[in-house]
Amino acid sequence: RLGAVVVRQSSGPSGIRAVRVRRRSLKIDMTTNSKEPEFKRILVTGGAGFVGSALCRRLVNEGHDVVCLDNFFTSQKTNVADLMDKPNFELVRHDVTEPFLMECDQIYNMACPASPVHYQYNPVKTMKTSIMGMLNMLGLAKRVKARILQASTSEVYGDPNVSPQPESYWGHVNCTGVRSCYDEGKRAAETLCFDYNRQNNVDVRVIRIFNTYGPGMHPYDGRVVSNFIVQALNGEDITIYGDGSQTRSFCY
């Protein structure tokens, strides 16, 4: 919006020329869209992972300045190789269990191994990632007044007695089982989000992601879609655990 000055002259009764100045407002659309997206500086933890890399790609393509944080425990640099030469993308090797400081507008906390094969490999580390990583990111969000999104999971419902699960369902959980490091860690992370919101007015968002598949997924992820595809490609028998009566919700 620019100010344009319009000058008009007129002659008075004594022959004196009067100048009237009126400011007119002009609108100039510099983009093809009527609303240009707002530029943001965004931190994505676990950004080199399967879901995180897809998110980084979307945010970079939208023109945001993206910092991708990852310790490459279950991910790899090649997942974001196509972004490395982008001027608005930065890759940092870092573990979220250690504090990390930067100025940002939004935080997407995607950091944590999600496959049972991976999170059961080091259950204590899995729990630390969920809880200490969440504390560090919430502390950062509080400090810089950033909005934070926590990537939670359907596993917060445990072994549910209700299917499909509404968000009002509190779950049917086991705090001592071999999968509890992931389930309880994610439940504790959600608790921290809402406590930071109530106590410190941190702007939080929580999504409970179910079984996710798509381009770039790890062939040895250990879950049903990748298992079926790899076995089919190798001409092997397809493995079905149990009696095959179990159900899953899939997200592409």
Side-chain angles (χ1 to χ4, degrees):
R1 186 180 289 271
L2 301 178
V5 177
V6 178
V7 179
R8 290 179 180 173
Q9 292 183 338
S10 62
S11 297
S14 60
I16 300 175
R17 303 179 66 86
V19 178
R20 292 182 298 162
V21 179
R22 182 162 57 88
R23 185 170 296 275
R24 178 179 296 165
S25 181
L26 301 179
K27 289 183 179 179
I28 299 179
D29 191 358
M30 301 296 288
T31 66
T32 55
N33 300 321
S34 58
K35 289 186 177 180
E36 186 177 0
E38 182 183 354
F39 167 85
K40 292 183 176 65
R41 185 163 175 79
I42 300 175
L43 172 64
V44 182
T45 70
F50 169 45
V51 178
S53 59
L55 175 62
C56 284
R57 199 165 289 111
R58 168 70 176 267
L59 295 172
V60 167
N61 289 338
E62 288 181 353
H64 301 295
D65 192 13
V66 177
V67 175
C68 168
L69 211 68
D70 211 298
N71 68 349
F72 306 112
F73 174 59
T74 59
S75 61
Q76 47 197 7
K77 292 181 182 179
T78 54
N79 288 348
V80 290
D82 58 309
L83 299 176
M84 297 297 286
D85 60 345
K86 302 285 186 181
N88 57 330
F89 179 79
E90 182 180 354
L91 177 62
V92 179
R93 181 190 289 269
H94 186 84
D95 194 314
V96 291
T97 60
E98 301 294 332
F100 183 79
L101 301 178
M102 67 169 283
E103 295 292 329
C104 58
D105 303 299
Q106 292 182 351
I107 301 168
Y108 291 82
N109 186 35
M110 320 294 290
C112 191
S115 167
V117 173
H118 296 143
Y119 68 63
Q120 290 176 20
Y121 175 77
N122 189 340
V124 174
K125 177 68 172 179
T126 299
M127 199 84 165
K128 288 172 67 176
T129 301
S130 289
I131 297 175
M132 295 174 64
M134 188 80 262
L135 277 169
N136 287 331
M137 291 303 108
L138 284 166
L140 175 61
K142 175 187 173 184
R143 187 175 298 111
V144 301
K145 302 188 185 309
R147 173 182 291 178
I148 182 168
L149 180 139
Q150 162 65 359
S152 191
T153 170
S154 58
E155 295 297 326
V156 298
Y157 300 117
D159 186 12
N161 295 322
V162 176
S163 187
Q165 298 86 45
E167 289 187 12
S168 57
Y169 181 58
W170 288 352
H172 177 241
V173 299
N174 173 10
C175 64
T176 60
V178 294
R179 298 168 66 101
S180 300
C181 59
Y182 184 67
D183 303 4
E184 296 301 306
K186 289 290 189 176
R187 286 168 66 88
E190 286 196 19
T191 301
L192 286 167
C193 282
F194 286 95
D195 283 340
Y196 262 80
N197 172 258
R198 285 184 286 258
Q199 184 173 331
N200 300 302
N201 202 33
V202 173
D203 189 1
V204 300
R205 302 288 189 275
V206 174
I207 52 172
R208 291 173 179 166
I209 306 175
F210 284 66
N211 292 261
T212 308
Y213 71 99
M217 69 185 303
H218 199 289
Y220 300 105
D221 172 77
R223 286 174 285 188
V224 61
V225 174
S226 57
N227 286 351
F228 278 14
I229 291 173
V230 169
Q231 288 176 327
L233 289 173
N234 291 336
E236 301 170 355
D237 290 340
I238 291 177
T239 303
I240 297 178
Y241 297 102
D243 59 6
S245 62
Q246 60 268 50
T247 61
R248 292 291 184 273
S249 255
F250 294 107
C251 177
Y252 178 81

